[in-house]
Amino acid sequence: MNIFVCIKEVPDTEASLQVKDGKSINNEGLKWIISPYDEYAIEEALKLKEKLGDSTVTVISVGSERIVETIRKGLAMGAEKAIHVHAENTLDNKIVAKALSEAIKKQDDYGIIFMGKQAIDDDAYLTHIYLANYLNIPVATNVIKFEYNDNKAIVEREIEEGAREKIEMNVPCVVAATKGLNEPRYPSIMGMMKAKKVQIEKYELSDIGIDDNNKVEVEKLYFPPEKPEGKVLEGELEDVVKELVRLLKDEAKVL
Amino acid sequence: MANLGIYIEYKNNNFKKSNKEVLSFARKSGRDTFAIVFADDISAIKDELKGINKVVQVKAGDKKYQPDIYSETLVSIIREFELKEFIGINSATLKDLMPRVSAKLDATMINDCISVDLDNSKATKPVYAGKLLCDYKVIDDFKIFLLRPNVFSGEDAEGNDPEIVEKSLLDAEIKTNIVEVIQSESRKIDLTEAEVIVSGGRAMKSKENFKVLEELAKVLNAGVGASRAAVDAGYATPDMQVGQTGKVVNPKLYIACGISGAIQHFVGMKTSKVIVAINTDPEAPIFKKADYGIVGDLFKVVPLLTEELKKSL
């Protein structure tokens, strides 16, 4: 099977962010990673390849020249092929999904497309569903369990109140991963060596007929107001707990 | 002015509390408002729908949520009534359904809004797990916004009774076959919509110890959450994780027990109205962020708190 994994480069979760020009984050000195949900997607793709044999895992990402390094991290985890859709400007979710769909359509054939349920920068939770719609294939979001049998993807997705939906989809389809699906592997030294040698297939937006007319524009990016420092209650535990309940009732009025 | 569509979540006679917030927003919007409800019987929620111009009731029979059928039906209703603007709760269901509708209609969509300005086509949304806020401008006539629960004010309904139009579910090719819905052993309170959350961190030390928090949660009718450290250590399940790579929550009261308060956790709960921290380490960063802190062993403090609340609630 030709398995695809869509990934997005994001700032490291540990990074302390700074806003530049009021509209974007300051990239200087930032460490970049594969969005954590996309790492679950890569892991699941690799597991499927190992199960099926005779399969290829291709990572695909849309972004600037900088993301090539992040794409190589995906290769180092064990993907064999990579596609880079080059776009220096930030694109809205729909355009990204269209670009992904057009680049994937250029390939001979595609089976399951894995990706994270959202990227941890804009937290949009849209691209996977848009992609499936543009390819006219089924999609399961928020997937915590994945199996493949008889050319069908059988997944469990988290819904509300701790419940899960078990879904069966024909292949090709899009599977959007959430935390708990698996434990992503670390790239091996061997994997990193191999990754360096892979020729990344590159498309410009114009090659795949994509206009970059964003319908969503960032007007302002800013820090939320700080919470004022609270108070630590002191004294014997019994008294402190009584005081807390009183404060929650009378002062904060949340009980 | 565009007609405004509102998706009402009403399932098994359960009218989601945050519907009130979305309906309040609609009443104040100055638009012609159309509430869409997928339900066979809406008599029990009639009063909630006052002040809305039209209710489109989709009789669903025994058919449960199915994304292909629901999205096809919703697209046809949106087209018929020219609902160029559309809002709903930022819930698991609508996050699954509305992007499909958005793709089919080529409408622009923004999830998880904490502020929406229809007149100026703007919305504010937390990004980077809430480390930052982003004001977006939508350059499209056709737009969909999902509103984060517990942020918008949910006033009681007032106004005239709406006109009711009945529709039925459309047929659609089913691509996503829902084989079964697996309920969890205990019905969990959904963290993203919970009014009170009790959360445990690494100091919980084991899965069994979460019982202490569950008892407190029971008294408060709260959801039980966890920090990433507790999830990664296997003390809690991933669906309980609050913070970056987990859920972003927004309750009235958040009680953090044995959580140090790493930035990745804090960003997921900092919009809570009131934060209480219980930790043995007086230097823990959580105390800087909490409204009320208690320095002490959670295994002593939490049971005391549970007892005290039992007495006074």
Side-chain angles (χ1 to χ4, degrees):
Chain A
M1 187 193 297
N2 282 337
I3 306 162
F4 285 81
V5 190
C6 306
I7 64 172
K8 187 176 185 189
E9 180 186 78
V10 296
D12 190 15
T13 53
E14 310 277 331
S16 74
L17 301 173
Q18 289 171 329
V19 177
K20 183 185 74 176
D21 65 33
K23 285 193 178 184
S24 52
I25 56 162
N26 188 355
N27 291 340
E28 248 168 80
L30 273 189
K31 190 180 156 208
W32 299 90
I33 57 167
I34 299 173
S35 180
Y37 297 114
D38 298 340
E39 284 195 333
Y40 304 127
I42 296 177
E43 177 62 33
E44 209 56 35
L46 296 173
K47 277 165 66 181
L48 178 60
K49 179 185 82 174
E50 285 154 10
K51 183 185 163 187
L52 296 177
D54 194 26
S55 299
T56 338
V57 174
T58 306
V59 289
I60 171 166
S61 190
V62 180
S64 67
E65 287 299 344
R66 192 192 58 226
I67 71 164
V68 170
E69 225 175 290
T70 297
I71 293 176
R72 297 229 185 257
K73 283 182 200 149
L75 290 166
M77 282 175 76
E80 292 95 342
K81 288 168 70 180
I83 300 170
H84 175 203
V85 180
H86 177 233
E88 284 301 321
N89 298 333
T90 306
L91 304 174
D92 69 28
N93 303 97
K94 252 195 214 161
I95 300 178
V96 170
K98 262 183 200 143
L100 291 169
S101 76
E102 290 306 320
I104 289 172
K105 277 189 217 160
K106 286 235 176 215
Q107 313 307 308
D108 299 336
D109 177 31
Y110 55 91
I112 297 175
I113 302 166
F114 292 95
M115 60 202 289
K117 65 169 179 176
Q118 69 196 56
I120 62 156
D121 50 5
D122 62 2
D123 290 318
Y125 203 100
L126 293 169
T127 311
H128 52 297
I129 302 179
Y130 286 156
L131 172 63
N133 270 272
Y134 297 144
L135 292 171
N136 196 23
I137 58 176
V139 53
T141 65
N142 220 16
V143 170
I144 191 154
K145 195 169 168 208
F146 170 85
E147 275 173 62
Y148 175 78
N149 268 320
D150 295 334
N151 203 37
K152 277 195 165 71
I154 301 127
V155 306
E156 285 180 20
R157 57 180 294 264
E158 278 184 358
I159 48 172
E160 280 160 0
E161 296 165 350
R164 290 180 182 189
E165 240 172 34
K166 188 172 182 181
I167 289 179
E168 237 180 57
M169 300 181 292
N170 286 327
V171 176
C173 60
V174 175
V175 173
T178 191
K179 182 166 177 160
L181 179 62
N182 55 44
E183 233 3 277
R185 66 194 66 186
Y186 287 101
S188 63
I189 302 282
M190 182 86 120
M192 288 191 251
M193 305 279 279
K194 260 188 172 165
K196 278 187 195 153
K197 291 181 198 140
V198 175
Q199 178 79 37
I200 298 174
E201 198 175 323
K202 188 171 168 185
Y203 295 104
E204 296 299 329
L205 290 178
S206 55
D207 299 338
I208 48 175
I210 302 289
D211 284 333
D212 60 353
N213 289 331
N214 283 334
K215 286 188 170 173
V216 180
E217 268 177 13
V218 173
E219 223 166 52
K220 195 175 156 203
L221 188 68
Y222 52 102
F223 287 93
E226 288 281 336
K227 243 183 135 72
E229 207 161 311
K231 48 185 156 192
V232 173
L233 312 176
E234 280 164 4
E236 290 297 315
L237 274 191
E238 278 86 0
D239 301 334
V240 165
V241 167
K242 278 204 176 94
E243 174 65 3
L244 174 65
V245 172
R246 189 193 69 77
L247 288 168
L248 291 177
K249 273 183 156 173
D250 301 341
E251 189 178 85
K253 296 188 166 60
V254 288
L255 290 182
Chain B
M1 214 171 272
N3 291 337
L4 175 65
I6 310 132
Y7 191 101
I8 303 298
E9 291 198 60
Y10 182 56
K11 200 169 61 178
N12 307 327
N13 300 320
N14 173 24
F15 180 76
K16 271 201 181 172
K17 181 182 61 73
S18 292
N19 284 319
K20 269 184 184 293
E21 296 151 23
V22 179
L23 284 163
S24 278
F25 178 91
R27 282 187 205 101
K28 287 180 277 189
S29 69
R31 280 142 171 83
D32 275 346
T33 48
F34 295 70
I36 295 151
V37 193
F38 286 73
D40 286 337
D41 182 3
I42 56 168
S43 52
I45 58 166
K46 271 224 163 99
D47 283 346
E48 300 284 357
L49 301 171
K50 278 181 191 295
I52 297 298
N53 299 102
K54 211 174 254 189
V55 170
V56 183
Q57 181 188 4
V58 184
K59 297 230 166 173
D62 54 1
K63 287 210 176 122
K64 296 204 178 79
Y65 174 70
Q66 203 294 322
D68 302 311
I69 291 180
Y70 269 48
S71 60
E72 212 49 53
T73 306
L74 197 50
V75 162
S76 112
I77 292 169
I78 288 175
R79 286 211 174 104
E80 180 180 339
F81 296 100
E82 295 177 13
L83 310 177
K84 289 280 185 175
E85 295 168 338
F86 201 94
I87 54 172
I89 307 171
N90 192 57
S91 66
T93 305
L94 292 193
K95 276 160 75 186
D96 188 60
L97 176 64
M98 293 316 294
R100 301 168 197 262
V101 173
S102 159
K104 288 186 174 130
L105 292 168
D106 198 25
T108 297
M109 172 163 177
I110 299 182
N111 279 330
D112 203 20
C113 300
I114 57 167
S115 151
V116 175
D117 175 355
L118 292 176
D119 293 339
N120 292 303
S121 198
K122 281 183 195 177
T124 305
K125 172 190 184 313
V127 291
Y128 297 94
K131 285 179 189 164
L132 294 169
L133 299 179
C134 188
D135 292 350
Y136 287 111
K137 171 101 183 162
V138 177
I139 309 150
D140 196 340
D141 294 335
F142 220 150
K143 42 213 158 203
I144 301 169
F145 301 103
L146 296 186
L147 313 188
R148 180 184 280 204
N150 302 343
V151 174
F152 295 79
S153 63
E155 285 121 35
D156 281 334
E158 51 181 324
N160 297 330
D161 284 330
E163 178 195 340
I164 296 177
V165 186
E166 282 185 17
K167 296 275 170 192
S168 27
L169 283 179
L170 293 184
D171 274 333
E173 183 203 349
I174 295 183
K175 288 190 259 182
T176 322
N177 179 20
I178 302 174
V179 187
E180 65 171 314
V181 174
I182 307 156
Q183 299 297 343
S184 71
E185 290 154 37
S186 57
R187 185 178 158 271
K188 291 184 186 172
I189 292 176
D190 218 62
L191 293 180
T192 49
E193 288 167 48
E195 292 209 357
V196 182
I197 294 174
V198 179
S199 257
R202 198 194 302 271
M204 293 307 298
K205 293 200 192 79
S206 76
K207 200 172 174 176
E208 292 66 39
N209 284 342
F210 264 81
K211 278 212 184 78
V212 182
L213 302 191
E214 279 158 22
E215 275 159 32
L216 174 59
K218 218 158 133 193
V219 182
L220 289 166
N221 192 29
V224 178
S227 72
R228 176 174 170 177
V231 172
D232 287 352
Y235 307 159
T237 51
D239 62 327
M240 292 164 73
Q241 187 180 322
V242 171
Q244 198 163 23
T245 72
K247 294 193 166 73
V248 175
V249 300
N250 188 39
K252 275 202 241 166
L253 174 60
Y254 189 91
I255 306 178
C257 308
I259 291 177
S260 64
I263 179 78
Q264 293 88 339
H265 184 75
F266 180 61
V267 293
M269 47 64 108
K270 67 176 174 189
T271 56
S272 308
K273 192 169 169 225
V274 172
I275 299 171
V276 172
I278 300 164
N279 204 303
T280 47
D281 176 10
E283 300 299 316
I286 190 85
F287 286 121
K288 288 223 158 43
K289 291 149 183 173
D291 298 274
Y292 305 113
I294 295 180
V295 179
D297 180 356
L298 76 96
F299 295 108
K300 289 194 185 122
V301 178
V302 173
L304 279 173
L305 183 57
T306 308
E307 283 317 306
E308 190 59 34
L309 286 166
K310 268 189 197 161
K311 274 190 257 168
S312 64
L313 286 183

